PDB file of all heavy atoms in Angstrom:
ATOM      1  N   LEU A   9      14.644   3.510  -8.117  1.00  0.00           N
ATOM      2  CA  LEU A   9      14.455   3.208  -9.537  1.00  0.00           C
ATOM      3  C   LEU A   9      14.627   4.467 -10.381  1.00  0.00           C
ATOM      4  O   LEU A   9      15.290   4.429 -11.425  1.00  0.00           O
ATOM      5  CB  LEU A   9      13.073   2.586  -9.769  1.00  0.00           C
ATOM      6  CG  LEU A   9      12.733   2.269 -11.217  1.00  0.00           C
ATOM      7  CD1 LEU A   9      13.685   1.217 -11.788  1.00  0.00           C
ATOM      8  CD2 LEU A   9      11.291   1.807 -11.335  1.00  0.00           C
ATOM      9  N   ALA A  13      17.565   4.909 -13.155  1.00  0.00           N
ATOM     10  CA  ALA A  13      17.237   5.183 -14.562  1.00  0.00           C
ATOM     11  C   ALA A  13      17.924   6.459 -15.026  1.00  0.00           C
ATOM     12  O   ALA A  13      18.395   6.540 -16.162  1.00  0.00           O
ATOM     13  CB  ALA A  13      15.721   5.304 -14.722  1.00  0.00           C
ATOM     14  N   GLY A  16      21.887   5.469 -14.914  1.00  0.00           N
ATOM     15  CA  GLY A  16      22.278   4.319 -15.701  1.00  0.00           C
ATOM     16  C   GLY A  16      23.331   3.446 -15.043  1.00  0.00           C
ATOM     17  O   GLY A  16      23.870   2.544 -15.663  1.00  0.00           O
ATOM     18  N   ARG A  20      26.809   4.939  -9.415  1.00  0.00           N
ATOM     19  CA  ARG A  20      26.495   6.387  -9.362  1.00  0.00           C
ATOM     20  C   ARG A  20      25.166   6.626  -8.647  1.00  0.00           C
ATOM     21  O   ARG A  20      25.024   7.578  -7.879  1.00  0.00           O
ATOM     22  CB  ARG A  20      26.469   6.981 -10.768  1.00  0.00           C
ATOM     23  CG  ARG A  20      27.860   7.156 -11.361  1.00  0.00           C
ATOM     24  CD  ARG A  20      27.829   8.005 -12.628  1.00  0.00           C
ATOM     25  NE  ARG A  20      26.938   7.470 -13.647  1.00  0.00           N
ATOM     26  CZ  ARG A  20      27.335   6.743 -14.681  1.00  0.00           C
ATOM     27  NH1 ARG A  20      28.598   6.449 -14.843  1.00  0.00           N
ATOM     28  NH2 ARG A  20      26.463   6.310 -15.565  1.00  0.00           N
ATOM     29  N   VAL A  25      21.887   8.379  -3.689  1.00  0.00           N
ATOM     30  CA  VAL A  25      20.875   8.099  -2.664  1.00  0.00           C
ATOM     31  C   VAL A  25      21.520   7.709  -1.328  1.00  0.00           C
ATOM     32  O   VAL A  25      20.816   7.326  -0.392  1.00  0.00           O
ATOM     33  CB  VAL A  25      19.860   7.023  -3.116  1.00  0.00           C
ATOM     34  CG1 VAL A  25      19.060   7.502  -4.308  1.00  0.00           C
ATOM     35  CG2 VAL A  25      20.537   5.704  -3.392  1.00  0.00           C
ATOM     36  N   LEU A  27      23.526   5.177  -0.393  1.00  0.00           N
ATOM     37  CA  LEU A  27      23.468   3.770  -0.027  1.00  0.00           C
ATOM     38  C   LEU A  27      24.703   3.080  -0.591  1.00  0.00           C
ATOM     39  O   LEU A  27      25.322   3.580  -1.524  1.00  0.00           O
ATOM     40  CB  LEU A  27      22.241   3.089  -0.652  1.00  0.00           C
ATOM     41  CG  LEU A  27      20.879   3.341  -0.072  1.00  0.00           C
ATOM     42  CD1 LEU A  27      19.832   2.616  -0.912  1.00  0.00           C
ATOM     43  CD2 LEU A  27      20.802   2.857   1.357  1.00  0.00           C
ATOM     44  N   THR A  28      25.002   1.906  -0.054  1.00  0.00           N
ATOM     45  CA  THR A  28      26.027   1.099  -0.702  1.00  0.00           C
ATOM     46  C   THR A  28      25.422   0.508  -1.974  1.00  0.00           C
ATOM     47  O   THR A  28      24.191   0.391  -2.100  1.00  0.00           O
ATOM     48  CB  THR A  28      26.502  -0.042   0.219  1.00  0.00           C
ATOM     49  OG1 THR A  28      25.397  -0.916   0.463  1.00  0.00           O
ATOM     50  CG2 THR A  28      27.068   0.500   1.538  1.00  0.00           C
ATOM     51  N   MET A  38      14.110  -6.288  -4.773  1.00  0.00           N
ATOM     52  CA  MET A  38      12.875  -6.457  -4.000  1.00  0.00           C
ATOM     53  C   MET A  38      11.691  -5.850  -4.742  1.00  0.00           C
ATOM     54  O   MET A  38      10.599  -6.421  -4.760  1.00  0.00           O
ATOM     55  CB  MET A  38      13.034  -5.845  -2.608  1.00  0.00           C
ATOM     56  CG  MET A  38      13.958  -6.640  -1.710  1.00  0.00           C
ATOM     57  SD  MET A  38      14.319  -5.836  -0.137  1.00  0.00           S
ATOM     58  CE  MET A  38      12.699  -5.603   0.541  1.00  0.00           C
ATOM     59  N   GLU A  40      11.464  -5.477  -8.008  1.00  0.00           N
ATOM     60  CA  GLU A  40      11.203  -6.364  -9.141  1.00  0.00           C
ATOM     61  C   GLU A  40      10.433  -7.608  -8.693  1.00  0.00           C
ATOM     62  O   GLU A  40       9.494  -8.028  -9.375  1.00  0.00           O
ATOM     63  CB  GLU A  40      12.519  -6.778  -9.806  1.00  0.00           C
ATOM     64  CG  GLU A  40      13.175  -5.646 -10.574  1.00  0.00           C
ATOM     65  CD  GLU A  40      14.538  -6.009 -11.136  1.00  0.00           C
ATOM     66  OE1 GLU A  40      15.292  -6.766 -10.467  1.00  0.00           O
ATOM     67  OE2 GLU A  40      14.841  -5.527 -12.244  1.00  0.00           O
ATOM     68  N   PRO A  46      11.124  -8.026 -14.311  1.00  0.00           N
ATOM     69  CA  PRO A  46      12.358  -7.242 -14.226  1.00  0.00           C
ATOM     70  C   PRO A  46      12.129  -5.796 -14.669  1.00  0.00           C
ATOM     71  O   PRO A  46      11.377  -5.535 -15.610  1.00  0.00           O
ATOM     72  CB  PRO A  46      13.333  -7.959 -15.158  1.00  0.00           C
ATOM     73  CG  PRO A  46      12.512  -8.850 -16.004  1.00  0.00           C
ATOM     74  CD  PRO A  46      11.209  -9.082 -15.309  1.00  0.00           C
ATOM     75  N   ASP A  49      17.501  -4.118 -17.222  1.00  0.00           N
ATOM     76  CA  ASP A  49      18.355  -5.074 -17.927  1.00  0.00           C
ATOM     77  C   ASP A  49      19.776  -4.776 -17.502  1.00  0.00           C
ATOM     78  O   ASP A  49      20.279  -3.674 -17.719  1.00  0.00           O
ATOM     79  CB  ASP A  49      18.241  -4.906 -19.450  1.00  0.00           C
ATOM     80  CG  ASP A  49      17.085  -5.668 -20.046  1.00  0.00           C
ATOM     81  OD1 ASP A  49      16.695  -6.703 -19.462  1.00  0.00           O
ATOM     82  OD2 ASP A  49      16.567  -5.235 -21.091  1.00  0.00           O
ATOM     83  N   LYS A  53      28.382  -3.448 -17.540  1.00  0.00           N
ATOM     84  CA  LYS A  53      28.403  -2.250 -16.695  1.00  0.00           C
ATOM     85  C   LYS A  53      27.242  -1.319 -17.000  1.00  0.00           C
ATOM     86  O   LYS A  53      27.020  -0.354 -16.292  1.00  0.00           O
ATOM     87  CB  LYS A  53      29.729  -1.511 -16.863  1.00  0.00           C
ATOM     88  CG  LYS A  53      30.892  -2.285 -16.294  1.00  0.00           C
ATOM     89  CD  LYS A  53      32.133  -1.440 -16.258  1.00  0.00           C
ATOM     90  CE  LYS A  53      33.238  -2.241 -15.599  1.00  0.00           C
ATOM     91  NZ  LYS A  53      34.383  -1.423 -15.285  1.00  0.00           N
ATOM     92  N   GLU A  56      19.957  -0.737 -18.237  1.00  0.00           N
ATOM     93  CA  GLU A  56      18.894  -0.060 -18.978  1.00  0.00           C
ATOM     94  C   GLU A  56      17.537  -0.535 -18.487  1.00  0.00           C
ATOM     95  O   GLU A  56      17.387  -1.678 -18.064  1.00  0.00           O
ATOM     96  CB  GLU A  56      19.022  -0.365 -20.476  1.00  0.00           C
ATOM     97  CG  GLU A  56      20.316   0.129 -21.073  1.00  0.00           C
ATOM     98  CD  GLU A  56      20.466  -0.270 -22.534  1.00  0.00           C
ATOM     99  OE1 GLU A  56      19.602  -1.009 -23.058  1.00  0.00           O
ATOM    100  OE2 GLU A  56      21.448   0.155 -23.135  1.00  0.00           O
ATOM    101  N   GLY A  61       9.974  -1.641 -17.025  1.00  0.00           N
ATOM    102  CA  GLY A  61      10.581  -0.611 -16.173  1.00  0.00           C
ATOM    103  C   GLY A  61      10.250   0.787 -16.688  1.00  0.00           C
ATOM    104  O   GLY A  61       9.958   1.699 -15.913  1.00  0.00           O
ATOM    105  N   GLY A  69       5.030   9.486 -13.180  1.00  0.00           N
ATOM    106  CA  GLY A  69       4.855  10.899 -13.496  1.00  0.00           C
ATOM    107  C   GLY A  69       3.428  11.295 -13.783  1.00  0.00           C
ATOM    108  O   GLY A  69       3.137  12.441 -14.070  1.00  0.00           O
ATOM    109  N   PRO A  80     -13.119  11.486  -1.623  1.00  0.00           N
ATOM    110  CA  PRO A  80     -14.319  12.169  -2.100  1.00  0.00           C
ATOM    111  C   PRO A  80     -14.133  13.681  -2.111  1.00  0.00           C
ATOM    112  O   PRO A  80     -13.449  14.240  -1.264  1.00  0.00           O
ATOM    113  CB  PRO A  80     -15.398  11.752  -1.103  1.00  0.00           C
ATOM    114  CG  PRO A  80     -14.714  11.069   0.009  1.00  0.00           C
ATOM    115  CD  PRO A  80     -13.317  10.767  -0.395  1.00  0.00           C
ATOM    116  N   GLU A  83     -17.053  19.946  -0.271  1.00  0.00           N
ATOM    117  CA  GLU A  83     -17.672  21.199  -0.691  1.00  0.00           C
ATOM    118  C   GLU A  83     -16.733  22.365  -0.407  1.00  0.00           C
ATOM    119  O   GLU A  83     -16.005  22.364   0.587  1.00  0.00           O
ATOM    120  CB  GLU A  83     -18.993  21.416   0.070  1.00  0.00           C
ATOM    121  CG  GLU A  83     -20.069  20.422  -0.287  1.00  0.00           C
ATOM    122  CD  GLU A  83     -20.478  20.523  -1.743  1.00  0.00           C
ATOM    123  OE1 GLU A  83     -20.626  21.653  -2.252  1.00  0.00           O
ATOM    124  OE2 GLU A  83     -20.648  19.467  -2.360  1.00  0.00           O
ATOM    125  N   ALA A  88     -12.066  31.469  -1.425  1.00  0.00           N
ATOM    126  CA  ALA A  88     -10.835  31.019  -2.081  1.00  0.00           C
ATOM    127  C   ALA A  88     -10.977  29.578  -2.568  1.00  0.00           C
ATOM    128  O   ALA A  88     -10.534  29.241  -3.667  1.00  0.00           O
ATOM    129  CB  ALA A  88      -9.651  31.137  -1.127  1.00  0.00           C
ATOM    130  N   ILE A  92     -10.708  28.183  -6.483  1.00  0.00           N
ATOM    131  CA  ILE A  92      -9.853  27.075  -6.898  1.00  0.00           C
ATOM    132  C   ILE A  92     -10.680  26.009  -7.596  1.00  0.00           C
ATOM    133  O   ILE A  92     -10.275  25.486  -8.631  1.00  0.00           O
ATOM    134  CB  ILE A  92      -9.099  26.487  -5.681  1.00  0.00           C
ATOM    135  CG1 ILE A  92      -8.094  27.513  -5.176  1.00  0.00           C
ATOM    136  CG2 ILE A  92      -8.439  25.164  -6.010  1.00  0.00           C
ATOM    137  CD1 ILE A  92      -7.453  27.164  -3.840  1.00  0.00           C
TER     138      ILE A  92
END
Side-chain angles (χ1 to χ4, degrees):
L9 178 63
R20 286 192 304 261
V25 296
L27 285 177
T28 63
M38 289 173 57
E40 288 175 324
D49 275 332
K53 292 190 176 191
E56 298 176 355
E83 293 297 318
I92 292 170

